[in-house]
Amino acid sequence: MSTPTEELKPLAKKKKKVPFNYEPYIRGGKLPHIWCPGCGHGIVLKSLLRAIHTTGMSKDDIAMVSGIGCSSRTPGYVDFNTLHTLHGRALAYATGLKLAKPKLKIIVTTGDGDALAIGGNHFIHACRRNMDMTILVYNNAIYGMTSGQSSPTTPQGMISTTGRYGSIEPPFDTCQLAQAAGATFVARGTAYHFQELEKIIYEAILHKGTSVVDIIDACPTYYGRFNKYKTPSEMMEKIEKEGTVSVKQAEKLTPEELQGKFLRGIIHRSERPEYCEEYNKLVATVQAKK
Amino acid sequence: MAVAEKEKRTFRIDIYENLCKGCSICVDYCPTNVLAMDGNLVIVKDLDACNGCQLCDNRCPDFAIQVFEE
Ligand SMILES: Cc1ncc(C[n+]2csc(CCOP(=O)(O)OP(=O)(O)O)c2C)c(N)n1
Ligand code: SF4
Ligand code: SF4
Ligand code: SF4
Ligand SMILES: [Mg+2]
């Protein structure tokens, strides 16, 4: 990739179109990434990098933290402070890091398995504390890395390695779970809606407190193959485009029409004391008494 | 006064062959059928039809395609 130089002729009326330059954000020599052909994680990463670029934050002020999974490989490709930790424990590490270095902007990239199965306990307690961090759940409704076991978001009836005849478990709705547990910014996007996703992630990063974004994307290799989707594009059409409605569209739809659709956009936003600020206040009060 | 004829905008499409994994997403989403698959690699079949919308780049999971206005 090369950086395009914009040579504007003096009389040119319209600015020439140039592609976004991802190069400054990618760790040298790390591409191609390990994700399979058509894996949605790459599209999500690109929306995330554009969102970070728009915030204007310095790369050194950002720390990206992950657990284990295909999605959790994200920090390995980016040129920020990065921490690739244990399966399910990204939020525990993120919490410790934020306490030690409260000025860092923490972005957690995690999977539906990492965040909601093995890491489900950390997830609800992170939401409850409202510590300033952004949690991005790359939700492909399956354990991609370990070859396609059911996850807590696998929809009923869908096939996986551990659900050969279709899952019978009711899934979690990541956003409802996050909101109920106390997250103060809750949103959903998809890889298909890449521009909307970029804006949502931007808002999530700027929000003070725990932000959760459920990002629906595709695992063509396992979820796609097991469930008879022919191409990655077909998964994007059927699951991400047809399977979701924006919060705005949803206002005009009946409960029947909303059946089986996921809401997209900012679903919940509120203000509550932020954990590190409360902690600092407590320290100051206790010290003043000494 | 006659309306000046719109100047045709032209584009250059860079495909990074070392990064393209042949998923066909860019081909499927290009609104003007500029791109095609040639085995496991995407190729430009009708550059003239490109309108610079960047959909191919934005939905490419592999950082493998970019479109520059010339
Ligand atoms: C303690 C522990 N248990 C199990 C595993 C095996 N394991 C690795 S990744 C993974 C699931 C990943 O799924 P998800 O978080 O949804 O990420 P994806 O690969 O789908 O992006 C599991 C079970 C592990 N690495 N460590
Ligand atoms: S196994 Fe699935 S989630 Fe993992 S890289 Fe491949 S397509 Fe993506
Ligand atoms: S920029 Fe738009 S029109 Fe041109 S190749 Fe890409 S998707 Fe097609
Ligand atoms: S979307 Fe990207 S990786 Fe897929 S075929 Fe097109 S250029 Fe190649
Ligand atoms: Mg997953």
Side-chain angles (χ1 to χ4, degrees):
Chain A
M1 279 186 287
S2 57
T3 319
T5 45
E6 273 187 72
E7 285 174 27
L8 279 180
K9 290 187 204 113
L11 284 174
K13 289 185 202 90
K14 260 193 173 171
K15 228 177 145 194
K16 287 198 172 180
K17 281 192 188 174
V18 284
F20 182 84
N21 183 14
Y22 295 96
E23 209 165 56
Y25 296 100
I26 297 288
R27 220 170 251 172
K30 286 289 178 184
L31 294 181
H33 51 58
I34 57 145
W35 296 321
C36 307
C39 175
H41 295 348
I43 309 174
V44 175
L45 170 58
K46 288 168 83 183
S47 286
L48 168 58
L49 293 179
R50 294 195 304 274
I52 290 174
H53 180 79
T54 312
T55 66
M57 281 171 195
S58 147
K59 290 195 283 184
D60 290 337
D61 293 339
I62 293 170
M64 208 172 269
V65 185
S66 71
I68 298 291
C70 297
S71 35
S72 292
R73 296 296 290 257
T74 302
Y77 301 111
V78 294
D79 194 25
F80 306 110
N81 299 290
T82 59
L83 207 51
H84 188 191
T85 73
L86 300 173
H87 191 33
R89 315 296 168 213
L91 294 171
Y93 282 86
T95 303
L97 180 60
K98 183 73 179 170
L99 279 171
K101 298 217 173 275
K103 289 215 169 72
L104 279 179
K105 192 68 188 170
I106 310 276
I107 300 173
V108 179
T109 57
T110 173
D112 44 311
D114 196 59
L116 306 177
I118 189 169
N121 202 30
H122 297 293
F123 183 80
I124 54 174
H125 294 292
C127 295
R128 175 174 68 86
R129 289 189 192 106
N130 198 36
M131 187 179 273
D132 188 22
M133 62 172 74
T134 303
I135 306 171
L136 306 176
V137 184
Y138 293 39
N139 183 357
N140 52 14
I142 205 144
Y143 291 180
M145 179 159 270
T146 45
S147 64
Q149 295 80 5
S150 297
S151 90
T153 60
T154 307
Q156 279 176 317
M158 300 314 274
I159 313 282
S160 73
T161 315
T162 49
R164 280 290 177 204
Y165 304 99
S167 172
I168 55 167
E169 294 181 22
F172 270 148
D173 177 318
T174 316
C175 294
Q176 285 178 2
L177 181 65
Q179 187 175 344
T184 47
F185 180 102
V186 178
R188 182 179 288 109
T190 82
Y192 173 86
H193 302 90
F194 58 86
Q195 206 160 16
E196 180 190 78
L197 178 62
E198 175 188 331
K199 285 188 190 137
I200 290 172
I201 296 176
Y202 170 82
E203 294 284 334
I205 293 173
L206 293 194
H207 175 82
K208 193 167 83 182
T210 301
S211 309
V212 174
V213 187
D214 185 39
I215 306 170
I216 302 178
D217 72 354
C219 167
T221 299
Y222 295 109
Y223 193 88
R225 197 155 46 89
F226 291 150
N227 292 292
K228 308 261 184 292
Y229 292 96
K230 286 189 207 77
T231 60
S233 306
E234 190 193 350
M235 295 184 79
M236 289 166 85
E237 287 293 310
K238 301 249 168 80
I239 302 171
E240 300 167 36
K241 186 180 167 197
E242 291 164 24
T244 62
V245 286
S246 71
V247 174
K248 224 176 166 175
Q249 289 167 326
E251 285 169 8
K252 296 183 211 113
L253 299 178
T254 63
E256 290 76 47
E257 288 168 320
L258 284 172
Q259 193 67 39
K261 306 257 186 206
F262 279 106
L263 279 186
R264 254 180 23 243
I266 298 167
I267 290 168
H268 169 78
R269 206 184 327 214
S270 60
E271 263 181 57
R272 250 179 350 104
E274 193 277 326
Y275 186 95
C276 294
E277 286 183 4
E278 292 305 297
Y279 184 83
N280 288 340
K281 269 192 228 161
L282 180 64
V283 171
T285 327
V286 174
Q287 279 175 348
K289 280 187 193 146
K290 279 191 182 162
Chain B
M1 210 166 67
V3 182
E5 206 182 300
K6 248 198 190 167
E7 218 180 290
K8 171 125 176 60
R9 305 175 78 175
T10 53
F11 300 93
R12 184 186 89 234
I13 302 175
D14 287 359
I15 292 162
Y16 308 104
E17 297 188 5
N18 58 324
L19 298 180
C20 174
K21 290 181 188 155
C23 68
S24 177
I25 289 177
C26 58
V27 176
D28 300 342
Y29 281 109
C30 172
T32 54
N33 281 315
V34 173
L35 308 165
M37 291 312 298
D38 178 16
N40 267 338
L41 194 69
V42 63
I43 52 160
V44 178
K45 82 171 177 204
D46 185 6
L47 182 61
D48 212 39
C50 178
N51 62 19
C53 69
Q54 314 270 12
L55 266 181
C56 51
D57 177 0
N58 283 315
R59 290 215 179 97
C60 169
D62 284 277
F63 301 82
I65 186 165
Q66 283 187 308
V67 181
F68 299 82
E69 185 161 8
E70 301 250 78

